[in-house]
Amino acid sequence: MDAANSMLDMHAADQILIYPALAKGGSFTTRHISLHARTAMWLIEQFLPVTFTIAEPAGQIHVIVILLRKLP
């Protein structure tokens, strides 16, 4: 499996959410989004001008972080 097809496990997905949010956007793929990750997404959206989008093509979950406005 090359880097383009790599996936995070659900526990790593929980922990990495803040980094693409602080980096002004990004994305990653995982096999499962836990309730903890969904709560973290909601919480991050309360403090940073980002939104999380979840797409589920072909049994994978692709999380996309989008910057809504410029960070100070």
Side-chain angles (χ1 to χ4, degrees):
M1 182 176 282
D2 62 32
N5 294 323
S6 296
M7 283 192 194
L8 295 173
D9 76 354
M10 67 181 232
H11 303 293
D14 290 354
Q15 301 301 313
I16 202 164
L17 292 168
I18 190 65
Y19 298 108
L22 290 173
K24 303 176 185 170
S27 65
F28 63 88
T29 302
T30 185
R31 292 178 192 231
H32 179 75
I33 292 289
S34 67
L35 182 58
H36 181 265
R38 290 181 187 275
T39 302
M41 288 177 200
W42 174 84
L43 186 63
I44 292 167
E45 289 176 345
Q46 305 310 301
F47 289 95
L48 296 174
V50 297
T51 189
F52 290 87
T53 301
I54 300 172
E56 299 185 37
Q60 300 176 358
I61 299 173
H62 194 68
V63 179
I64 304 164
V65 185
I66 301 167
L67 181 66
L68 298 176
R69 65 179 192 275
K70 188 175 180 182
L71 292 171

